[in-house]
Amino acid sequence: MAVSDEVLEHALDLFRTLGPIRTGRMFSGAALYVEDDVMFAMIASSGTIYMKSDATTEQQFLDAGSEPFTYTRATGDRQVTSLMSLPDSALDDADEAHHWAQLSLGPARVAADKKRADKARKAARKAT
């Protein structure tokens, strides 16, 4: 199931203060990008918005009632703590959503930098 247009538009409206947002496919949902390739949020096919997180931000999300993105594999459920649900209190509050998006930008930029570096290393190896 894909993300509905209504859910996607609501998320884009929540985060509009970040500037231009590009969308892309991620799992069966949608990824939200700023600064060209910085993925700061994901919308699951269920409509749940997940924010990029890391060890420095995870506890803040947990304290606000967030839960990690979870999916089921043949070996059981897998939790992805690098994606934490947007706290319920921010779902209809653009100012609060902006706060969580700003918190997510740090881990998102680190992940984008790593992805760019990995891509450059692969290209350099292929060129030799």
Side-chain angles (χ1 to χ4, degrees), residues 66-100:
S66 297
E67 296 182 1
F69 176 67
T70 303
Y71 63 94
T72 303
R73 299 178 67 172
T75 56
D77 286 350
R78 172 145 159 60
Q79 288 190 340
V80 181
T81 57
S82 63
L83 291 168
M84 300 294 290
S85 62
L86 180 66
D88 288 344
S89 57
L91 290 173
D92 291 314
D93 183 336
D95 290 335
E96 187 175 349
H98 179 83
H99 162 77
W100 292 105

Side-chain angles (χ1 to χ4, degrees), residues 3-72:
V3 174
S4 74
D5 290 341
E6 181 180 334
V7 169
L8 182 58
E9 288 302 317
H10 178 68
L12 293 173
D13 190 48
L14 277 176
F15 301 121
R16 72 183 177 282
T17 57
L18 296 177
I21 298 173
R22 179 175 66 84
T23 62
R25 296 177 70 142
M26 183 170 192
F27 301 112
S28 59
L32 303 181
Y33 298 87
V34 293
E35 302 166 12
D36 189 38
D37 65 347
V38 177
M39 197 276 299
F40 73 96
M42 178 195 82
I43 308 169
S45 60
S46 65
T48 302
I49 300 171
Y50 291 92
M51 308 302 293
K52 190 70 172 163
S53 181
D54 65 9
T56 67
T57 61
E58 180 181 351
Q59 192 59 51
Q60 292 172 68
F61 280 102
L62 291 171
D63 290 346
S66 297
E67 296 182 1
F69 176 67
T70 303
Y71 63 94
T72 303

Side-chain angles (χ1 to χ4, degrees), residues 104-117:
S104 293
L105 285 176
R109 287 178 178 132
V110 169
D113 286 345
K114 182 182 181 318
K115 189 172 183 179
R116 280 186 230 116

